[in-house]
């Protein structure tokens, strides 16, 4: 349960072995490759260069092809996968099977070709529908669309805005003499007509109709009447619809290739990862240089892999100057590992400092359970997360989050047993409505009302002072734990003076003040207790002053001491008060549950059950969010601020990481 010690790997190997060596490191999954500290623009390194990136481009193209094919199948052949459908398990050898990969790429191309054919037919059908719509107004006329009339009497296809008074238009046209209008159909914007006019009166006729917004319609490329062409278009559209249906059926049939496509998509992801890492190498025509990091505990495995190649390599411990570059890997047990998700959201710790997860985990679990404090809610959390973890087999962050809520659910059940909460006061209300409260064995209050099956240690609503004191006491424990970790770290790094004149000094001040003020209030406490408290208080102040005088001589030390006293008192006081949110969330959850239960009980048994279920579901959701956010806030601000040193970068080794399949050990 600490930050894993890392070793720096420097390797020089033959270029023909590059692909096999990278493949071996990827299978091993514990080496992070980084860019070497080499300036390739320096003439001294003129013979070195970067690897060709064509492999990376090819891998990305294949990944896009496979991903696109899966997206197409998602539309035309939806998978029957459920949330809890387990991923198939294959060996690493099966994942990298070249024959299966070629088969998957071929299937992906067929899917994409089918989708392109379907899109082309859809575009053609849309075009034909547009053409049909443009012919619709002319279908009522038995006139060929390519009709131009004669040299003496031409025929023009025309349109005017749909709101135009056609009678007035016709009168204006006929006023020019030797002209006749034949009305056709209309659409939402225009109405259409034929203009039949003697060639000598065409100009005069158009001039008379110009105020009405007349435009000439061009119908090039059509022969025959509009009705005849519409019939032809209908036949072609129907044929295209049948062809589209066939394309969709063919795509649906390719849904059987989904598992292969998914496996190949995971394979393509491995190719991309390996090619991206290869881009960080430095090479020549004959050899290449690799620079990276690996956990010291994996030294034997790394040596075994590299021993199969003709290469020169060394593994060295990082120097203090290299600490900012060392990637961070946290080693935790099953209880503390899930809290890595919170650590990564905050910031990774710096190398050679403290892994916060083992320190944070018990406080996070206890605080979350304290705020939730309900057996019913806790059981739902435990059963729900256990079912999800066993059925869905999540990975990474989702697995950590579900495991964390599982443990917090257990803590919620524990605190619920102490407070007697089961969906608030659901059971007392239920027994009261059914008239069985008096006969139920358990704990009853002074009025005889059923409270719980055993006497609760405390209840959030009736024991507010006890809950408040308990919340602040837990805050004091966590703050003092953070200070203790800081003291240990300062002693380990040779900063004993800072530890004594800061954290230890404040321990004396805070503990001394508590004894001096609270000691005399304890019945039967010896009188010397107050004197001891004052002595500790004075000792702490002396240590704090001495530290400031050592770091800043003269007046600077005095002003620093005054500032430390003011900031320390206000800071520690406000930090301890922050833990009152534990009390607030505990009371809020209990009161809201009680309110919903009371509302339902007013109307009888059945409405009570319905309202209680709905209300408690809402309350559970609110509590999950509130407890998570406020518990995390206490860790990140009040706790981490005491000792945590961030600045680390997460360890990202070259490894086999899959999305659709799980890798099992080869037998």
């Amino acid at each position: 349960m600490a930050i894993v010690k890392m070793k720096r790997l420097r390797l020089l190997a033959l270029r023909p072995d590059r692909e096999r060596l990278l493949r071996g490191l990827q299978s091993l999954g514990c080496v992070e490759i980084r860019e070497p500290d080499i300036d390739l623009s320096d003439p001294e390194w003129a013979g070195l260069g970067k690897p060709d990136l064509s492999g990376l481009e090819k891998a990305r193209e294949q990944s896009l092809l496979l991903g696109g094919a899966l997206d197409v199948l998602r539309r035309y052949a939806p998978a029957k996968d459920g949330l809890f459908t387990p991923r198939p398990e294959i060996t690493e050898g099966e994942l990298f099977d070249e024959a299966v990969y070629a088969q998957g790429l071929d299937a992906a191309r067929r899917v994409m070709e089918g989708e392109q054919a379907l899109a082309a037919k859809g575009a053609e059908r849309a075009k034909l529908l547009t053409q049909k719509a443009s012919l619709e107004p002319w279908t009522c006329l038995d006139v060929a669309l390519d009709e131009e009339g004669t040299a003496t009497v031409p025929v023009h296809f025309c349109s005017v805005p749909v709101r135009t008074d056609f009678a007035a238009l016709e009168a204006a046209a006929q006023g020019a003499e030797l002209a006749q209008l034949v009305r056709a159909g209309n659409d939402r914007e225009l109405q259409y007509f034929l203009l039949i006019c003697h060639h000598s009166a065409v100009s005069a006729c158009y001039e008379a109709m110009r105020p009405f917004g007349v435009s000439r319609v061009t119908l090039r490329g059509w022969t025959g009447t509009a009705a005849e062409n519409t019939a032809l278009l209908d036949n072609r559209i129907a044929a295209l619809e049948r062809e589209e249906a066939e394309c969709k059926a063919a795509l649906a049939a390719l849904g059987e290739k989904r598992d292969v496509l998914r496996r190949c998509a995971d394979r393509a992801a491995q190719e991309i990862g390996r090619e991206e890492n290869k881009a960080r190498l430095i090479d020549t025509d004959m050899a290449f240089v690799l620079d990276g990091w690996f956990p010291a505990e994996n030294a034997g495995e790394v040596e075994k892999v590299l021993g199969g190649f003709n290469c020169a390599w060394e593994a060295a411990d990082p120097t203090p100057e290299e600490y900012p570059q060392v990637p961070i890997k946290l080693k935790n047990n099953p209880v503390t590992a899930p809290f890595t998700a919170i650590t990564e959201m905050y910031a990774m710790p710096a190398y050679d400092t403290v892994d916060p997860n083992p320190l944070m985990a018990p406080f996070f679990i206890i605080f979350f359970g304290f705020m939730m404090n309900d057996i019913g809610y806790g059981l739902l959390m435990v059963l729900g997360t256990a079912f999800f973890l066993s059925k869905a087999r999540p990975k990474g962050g989702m697995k950590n989050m579900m495991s964390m809520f599982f443990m917090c659910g257990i803590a919620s059940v524990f605190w619920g047993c102490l407070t007697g909460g089961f969906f608030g006061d659901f059971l007392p209300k239920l027994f009261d409505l059914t008239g069985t409260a008096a006969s139920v064995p358990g704990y009853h209050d002074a009025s005889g009302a059923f409270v719980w099956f055993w006497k609760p240690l405390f209840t959030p609503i009736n024991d507010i002072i006890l809950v408040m004191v308990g919340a602040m006491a837990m805050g004091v424990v966590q703050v003092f734990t953070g200070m203790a970790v800081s003291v240990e770290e300062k002693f380990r790094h040779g900063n004993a003076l800072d530890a004594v004149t800061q954290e230890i000094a404040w321990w004396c001040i805070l503990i001394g003040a508590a004894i001096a003020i609270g000691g005399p209030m304890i019945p039967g406490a010896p009188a010397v207790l107050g004197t001891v408290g004052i002595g500790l208080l004075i000792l702490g102040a002396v240590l704090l002053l001495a530290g400031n005088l050592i770091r800043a001589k003269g007046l600077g030390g005095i002003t620093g001491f005054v500032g430390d006293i003011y900031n320390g008192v206000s800071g520690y006081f406000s930090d301890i008060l922050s833990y009152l949110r534990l009390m607030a969330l505990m009371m809020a959850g209990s009161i809201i549950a009680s309110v919903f239960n009371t509302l339902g009980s007013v109307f009888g048994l059945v409405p009570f059950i319905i309202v209680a279920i709905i209300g408690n579901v809402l309350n559970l959701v609110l509590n999950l969010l509130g407890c998570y956010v406020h518990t995390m806030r206490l860790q990140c601000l009040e706790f981490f601020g005491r000792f945590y040193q961030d600045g680390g970068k997460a360890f990202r080794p070259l490894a086999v990481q899959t999305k659709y399949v799980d890798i099992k050990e080869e037998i």
Side-chain angles (χ1 to χ4, degrees):
M1 296 186 291
I3 297 176
V4 175
K5 298 299 180 183
M6 306 296 289
K7 285 187 175 292
R8 184 171 182 178
L9 173 66
R10 294 182 176 88
L11 178 143
L12 177 63
L14 298 177
R15 184 167 174 174
D17 293 334
R18 185 176 61 189
E19 300 302 327
R20 287 195 308 113
L21 193 147
L22 288 175
R23 177 68 185 83
L25 293 180
Q26 185 177 39
S27 179
L28 185 60
C30 67
V31 176
E32 178 179 315
I33 300 175
R34 65 165 209 159
E35 296 276 356
D37 298 326
I38 296 176
D39 182 8
L40 296 179
S41 62
D42 191 330
E44 293 185 2
W45 305 104
L48 299 180
K50 302 294 289 184
D52 180 22
L53 298 181
S54 60
L56 178 58
E57 295 175 0
K58 179 181 178 182
R60 286 174 174 169
E61 289 174 0
Q62 292 173 342
S63 179
L64 287 173
L65 173 64
L66 293 163
L70 287 171
D71 289 339
V72 171
L73 292 183
R74 196 173 294 118
R75 295 196 300 272
Y76 299 105
K80 297 181 180 179
D81 299 339
L83 179 62
F84 303 109
T85 301
R87 290 180 297 274
E89 293 184 338
I90 63 174
T91 64
E92 191 173 320
E94 291 172 332
L95 177 65
F96 288 95
D97 189 304
E98 293 296 338
V100 174
Y101 194 50
Q103 178 187 354
L105 291 174
D106 180 66
R109 293 187 188 97
R110 282 190 286 155
V111 170
M112 297 307 294
E113 288 169 359
E115 198 270 342
Q116 290 170 3
L118 180 61
K121 295 182 187 301
E124 183 181 355
R125 182 167 58 87
K127 178 183 177 181
L128 295 181
L129 288 172
T130 302
Q131 292 175 347
K132 179 181 175 182
S134 68
L135 296 180
E136 184 66 27
W138 306 103
T139 55
C140 60
L141 299 180
D142 189 18
V143 178
L145 298 176
D146 57 346
E147 178 64 53
E148 296 180 355
T150 65
T152 305
V153 183
V155 176
H156 294 175
F157 292 79
C158 301
S159 67
V160 291
V162 70
R163 294 186 179 182
T164 300
D165 185 347
F166 193 80
L169 173 67
E170 192 172 23
Q174 291 175 351
E177 298 182 351
L178 304 177
Q180 180 182 357
L181 303 186
V182 180
R183 190 169 187 176
N186 63 273
D187 54 26
R188 289 184 299 178
E189 297 180 357
L190 299 172
Q191 54 181 321
Y192 302 87
F193 63 93
L194 288 179
L195 171 62
I196 304 173
C197 181
H198 193 272
H199 72 91
S200 62
V202 170
S203 297
C205 185
Y206 272 107
E207 183 62 26
M209 294 189 299
R210 186 169 60 82
F212 295 91
V214 172
S215 298
R216 190 168 177 182
V217 177
T218 303
L219 296 171
R220 294 190 181 95
W222 297 101
T223 59
T225 65
E228 293 170 346
N229 283 282
T230 298
L232 293 174
L233 289 175
D234 285 338
N235 292 335
R236 179 55 184 156
I237 290 171
L240 286 172
E241 289 175 346
R242 290 192 296 271
E243 292 173 8
E244 286 184 83
E246 292 172 359
C247 287
K248 291 179 180 179
L251 287 173
L254 286 171
E256 65 182 14
K257 300 293 184 181
R258 179 181 287 103
D259 290 341
V260 173
L261 291 173
R262 286 177 172 176
R263 181 192 298 191
C264 293
D266 277 341
R267 160 69 184 273
Q270 312 319 310
E271 300 294 331
I272 291 174
R274 192 166 63 251
E275 291 294 333
E276 286 177 343
N277 277 268
K278 186 170 73 174
R280 302 188 185 111
L281 304 177
I282 301 295
D283 64 4
T284 66
D285 293 337
M286 299 299 296
F288 70 94
V289 176
L290 182 150
D291 195 353
W293 301 93
F294 67 89
E297 61 190 15
N298 297 117
E301 300 170 3
V302 173
E303 182 177 0
K304 182 178 179 181
V305 170
L306 298 182
F309 298 91
N310 186 16
C311 62
W313 62 280
E314 68 168 358
D317 294 328
T319 62
E321 293 77 17
E322 293 176 323
Y323 283 176
Q325 306 171 20
V326 181
I328 305 302
K329 180 181 179 182
L330 304 178
K331 183 179 181 180
N332 291 291
N333 57 41
V335 175
T336 60
F339 295 89
T340 303
I342 295 177
T343 303
E344 290 182 345
M345 279 191 287
Y346 180 76
M348 294 297 286
Y351 189 69
D352 199 35
T353 59
V354 178
D355 177 3
N357 290 348
L359 302 167
M360 173 181 61
F363 288 112
F364 194 101
I365 295 170
I366 292 172
F367 291 174
F368 192 105
F370 184 83
M371 288 187 281
M372 187 71 73
N373 81 98
D374 191 281
I375 298 174
Y377 296 161
L379 286 176
L380 288 179
M381 292 172 61
V382 170
L383 296 176
T385 53
F387 181 78
F388 184 82
L389 288 168
S390 63
K391 294 296 183 180
R393 299 204 306 264
K395 299 180 180 179
M398 179 59 70
K399 179 182 178 180
N400 289 337
M401 194 65 68
M402 290 297 105
S403 300
M404 181 181 67
F405 279 118
F406 175 82
M407 290 181 283
C408 291
I410 295 175
S412 300
V413 173
F414 168 77
W415 286 105
C417 291
L418 299 183
T419 62
F422 184 85
F423 300 115
D425 57 350
F426 177 82
L427 289 181
K429 289 286 193 302
L430 177 64
F431 293 148
D432 185 54
L433 286 172
T434 56
T436 59
S439 61
V440 174
Y443 178 72
H444 297 72
D445 61 16
S447 66
F450 174 80
V451 178
W452 188 241
F453 297 102
W454 55 83
K455 183 177 181 180
L457 184 64
F458 66 94
T459 58
I461 299 176
N462 299 326
D463 300 296
I464 298 177
I465 300 300
L466 178 61
V467 173
M468 181 183 68
V469 172
M472 295 180 67
M474 287 191 288
V476 170
V477 172
Q478 186 172 43
V479 169
F480 273 46
T481 300
M483 296 171 67
V485 176
S486 178
V487 169
E488 192 275 336
E489 282 294 289
K490 287 179 178 179
F491 272 100
R492 187 166 70 90
H493 290 93
N495 297 323
L497 177 63
D498 288 343
V500 172
T501 59
Q502 291 177 2
E503 282 82 8
I504 293 178
W506 275 108
W507 276 343
C508 294
I509 292 173
L510 295 174
I511 296 173
I515 294 175
I517 297 173
M521 300 180 184
I522 301 175
V528 72
L529 197 60
T531 304
V532 170
I534 294 174
L536 283 174
L537 183 61
I538 294 174
L539 174 61
V542 170
L543 291 175
L544 193 64
L545 176 61
N548 278 277
L549 291 175
I550 292 172
R551 285 186 288 269
K553 304 294 184 181
L555 185 60
I558 301 297
T559 57
F561 169 72
V562 174
D564 281 352
I565 290 291
Y566 175 79
N567 293 330
V569 171
S570 60
Y572 283 108
F573 185 69
S574 64
D575 286 349
I576 299 302
L577 287 181
S578 291
Y579 288 85
L580 290 178
R581 68 186 68 246
L582 298 175
M583 176 193 74
L585 267 293
M586 171 183 269
M587 293 182 59
S590 300
I591 291 173
I592 292 174
S594 178
V595 167
F596 278 113
N597 294 333
T598 302
L599 281 174
S601 65
V602 173
F603 304 102
L605 181 60
V606 174
F608 162 72
I609 294 175
I610 295 174
V611 173
I613 290 175
I614 296 174
N616 279 285
V617 168
L618 293 174
N619 193 32
L620 174 60
V621 173
L622 290 174
N623 270 336
L624 284 174
L625 179 61
C627 294
Y628 174 73
V629 169
H630 289 286
T631 305
M632 187 166 63
R633 182 196 180 281
L634 290 174
Q635 313 309 312
C636 294
L637 296 183
E638 274 66 38
F639 188 44
F640 283 179
R642 300 293 166 193
F643 68 91
Y644 195 72
Q645 298 182 42
D646 59 11
K649 297 177 293 184
F651 181 55
R652 297 286 185 262
L654 171 61
V656 176
Q657 297 177 334
T658 57
K659 177 181 179 181
Y660 297 108
V661 299
D662 288 336
I663 302 300
K664 63 181 180 181
E665 294 291 334
E666 297 191 38
I667 300 176

